[in-house]
Amino acid sequence: WAKLIRVLSMSRLTAIHGPIIYSNYGSTASTILYDKESDLYNTFFAQLDTIQSEFGANKTYAGFAKFDPSYKGSIPAWQKVVNSMRLRLAMRISKVAPSLAKTQGEKAIADAAGLITTNADNFLVSLNGNIMPVAQICYQWDDTRMGGPIEQFMVGYNDGRISKYYAPVANA
């Protein structure tokens, strides 16, 4: 389960920032090498294979139900997350590694555990009644504003999305 969360989070990180420290994470060497994205995706797919295999061997395990606010310990639900993650990663690399993407996408679709196909299957992270700090600042305190740099950019380029992202100040 923790390995899956690692793949979920690090795949997003590499999608946004490119190469990341993954295989050498925790090293105390004076020089730590970043993993190439092509290596990362191969590693992610291999780890998803292992994770799916471990979930498959423990489908009835109920031990982490009390630690799992997302699926309440349902291993079949987590297996859908694995397949959906595999499909997502395959789609991300479809233009740069089409054969690998095809193989992994087909593997995700063919797996008997299935994919996330309904809202009831969605992977949601419970905050156990707490509010995320950014949401609290934005929605409860109503204390978010457009910054000068984004205003210069959007106004300067006459960006039509400005009205979708920001509302005019009511008491100006």
Side-chain angles (χ1 to χ4, degrees):
W1 179 65
K3 291 175 187 176
L4 176 59
I5 300 302
R6 182 178 186 214
V7 171
L8 286 167
S9 58
M10 298 309 264
S11 65
R12 285 187 181 218
L13 190 64
T14 192
I16 295 167
H17 297 289
I20 59 173
I21 297 171
Y22 191 78
S23 61
N24 295 312
Y25 181 79
S27 171
T28 58
S30 60
T31 302
I32 301 173
L33 300 176
Y34 285 69
D35 293 271
K36 295 186 307 186
E37 286 183 270
S38 57
D39 294 340
L40 285 167
Y41 281 86
N42 288 328
T43 301
F44 293 154
F45 289 131
Q47 289 178 340
L48 290 175
D49 288 339
T50 301
I51 293 163
Q52 193 70 308
S53 174
E54 289 173 6
F55 279 154
N58 295 289
K59 283 185 184 179
T60 59
Y61 177 70
F64 73 52
K66 64 182 174 183
F67 304 106
D68 178 14
S70 299
Y71 292 118
K72 300 185 183 25
S74 170
I75 301 297
W78 282 106
Q79 288 182 292
K80 288 182 178 186
V81 174
V82 172
N83 288 331
S84 298
M85 187 68 220
R86 183 184 304 279
L87 184 58
R88 171 187 266 181
L89 293 175
M91 290 188 303
R92 277 198 191 138
I93 63 167
S94 62
K95 299 292 183 190
V96 294
S99 61
L100 178 60
K102 183 178 187 299
T103 300
Q104 293 297 325
E106 289 173 350
K107 186 175 189 174
I109 291 169
D111 192 288
L115 298 164
I116 294 173
T117 57
T118 67
N119 284 338
D121 294 337
N122 285 346
F123 172 51
L124 303 172
V125 177
S126 170
L127 297 174
N128 296 323
N130 296 319
I131 298 170
M132 289 181 63
V134 173
Q136 184 174 23
I137 292 167
C138 182
Y139 300 112
Q140 289 186 328
W141 298 349
D142 193 27
D143 195 21
T144 53
R145 309 285 184 264
M146 178 193 305
I150 193 70
E151 180 182 16
Q152 286 180 336
F153 177 80
M154 294 186 92
V155 171
Y157 284 108
N158 196 24
D159 192 319
R161 298 174 296 174
I162 196 167
S163 65
K164 302 291 184 201
Y165 291 142
Y166 304 100
V169 176
N171 299 331

